[in-house]
Amino acid sequence: MIIKRKIAVAVVLNSAIVLATMAVILSFFMGNKDAFIRSGPQSFRFFTTDSNVLSMLGSMIMIPFELRILRGKAESIPRFAVILKYIGTASVTLTFFTVMFFLGPTFGYDIFLGDTGIFTHLLSPMLAFYTFTLLESDCEISFKNVLWAIVPTLIYGAVYLTQVVFVGERNGGWEDFYFFNLGGYWYMSSTVMFIAGILVNLLVRSLHNSTCRKLSGIQKSGKRVYEW
């Protein structure tokens, strides 16, 4: 019963993530503007938007499987769904830490936590982190999935680097809105972000697995725990 209560809370929080993210993105297509985004399509230039979409998709996939558990029609969540939730959570957690420990202190939190930023930079990442590390602990995440979780960061980094450094704003590329090429030190920023991404992925995995191991003690005592 303890596990089912956690699953029930996870369903509520996952639904909140989905609704909040959809509302934010829809607002950009309906004329809402913030400090950086001027249109709906332009919003997808930002890792903030992309990571929140990944997190939303991970939450969206988890909901029906968790509902089946609550209805007694299933005892576990498919492995692929848990991995996708992990990738989305790791990505949006990287967004959170980047804002909290680099962009916010450097350029001011008002810019990043105002308007829709309060959801995409703070609330939604916190909800995703909480649900995956403390509520959705069916089974442990293997180390190889840490590498899968860094793929979105690598893809985005390659696109950002191409648009900002190799193409350049003067030639139709992007402006350096994340300030990763200040002083021409893009190679240092790229290295730092890669290392930060790996560390964040390891953190999310570690906390998720820690909760899973604690629940495994309940299973040994004879109580039911949902597994793959």
Side-chain angles (χ1 to χ4, degrees), residues 3 6-18 53-71 74-89 127-141 204 208 226-228:
I3 302 302
K6 286 190 174 185
I7 292 294
V9 174
V11 169
V12 173
L13 297 184
N14 279 326
S15 299
I17 292 171
V18 172
V53 168
L54 281 175
S55 178
M56 178 189 72
L57 293 176
S59 294
M60 191 180 295
I61 289 171
M62 294 290 278
I63 291 172
F65 295 115
E66 291 172 341
L67 288 175
R68 284 179 57 83
I69 290 176
L70 292 178
R71 294 169 181 167
E75 295 184 353
S76 63
I77 299 172
R79 181 180 178 83
F80 81 90
V82 177
I83 299 305
L84 288 176
K85 179 65 184 289
Y86 170 56
I87 293 173
T89 300
L127 290 180
F129 185 83
Y130 177 77
T131 55
F132 188 74
T133 59
L134 296 178
L135 303 179
E136 298 166 331
S137 301
D138 285 357
C139 193
E140 295 185 33
I141 298 292
V204 174
H208 172 90
Y226 299 115
E227 295 183 322
W228 290 330

Side-chain angles (χ1 to χ4, degrees), residues 76-220:
S76 63
I77 299 172
R79 181 180 178 83
F80 81 90
V82 177
I83 299 305
L84 288 176
K85 179 65 184 289
Y86 170 56
I87 293 173
T89 300
S91 297
V92 83
T93 301
L94 179 61
T95 294
F96 172 83
F97 280 117
T98 301
V99 169
M100 292 298 110
F101 297 106
F102 171 60
L103 297 176
T106 304
F107 304 101
Y109 288 104
D110 291 345
I111 298 176
F112 300 98
L113 299 182
D115 197 56
T116 57
I118 191 67
F119 294 101
T120 57
H121 291 141
L122 182 64
L123 298 181
S124 291
M126 289 178 67
L127 290 180
F129 185 83
Y130 177 77
T131 55
F132 188 74
T133 59
L134 296 178
L135 303 179
E136 298 166 331
S137 301
D138 285 357
C139 193
E140 295 185 33
I141 298 292
S142 64
F143 180 78
K144 68 179 180 180
N145 290 309
V146 173
L147 303 180
W148 279 114
I150 199 64
V151 170
T153 302
L154 292 177
I155 293 175
Y156 181 85
V159 173
Y160 188 87
L161 182 65
T162 300
Q163 291 291 333
V164 172
V165 178
F166 300 135
V167 177
E169 187 177 1
R170 292 183 179 180
N171 298 317
W174 299 347
E175 63 177 302
D176 187 18
F177 43 77
Y178 282 134
F179 311 104
F180 288 157
N181 193 37
L182 286 177
Y185 293 117
W186 58 266
Y187 49 91
M188 293 182 62
S189 298
S190 299
T191 301
V192 170
M193 289 307 299
F194 174 76
I195 295 174
I198 291 292
L199 292 177
V200 166
N201 295 351
L202 288 171
L203 172 66
V204 174
R205 171 181 177 266
S206 176
L207 294 177
H208 172 90
N209 288 353
S210 177
T211 301
C212 182
R213 293 187 189 105
K214 290 178 181 179
L215 292 177
S216 67
I218 299 177
Q219 183 186 31
K220 292 179 181 179

Side-chain angles (χ1 to χ4, degrees), residues 38-55:
R38 294 292 177 266
S39 67
Q42 187 194 42
S43 68
F44 292 98
R45 290 184 178 186
F46 297 85
F47 188 73
T48 290
T49 303
D50 300 334
S51 63
N52 272 269
V53 168
L54 281 175
S55 178

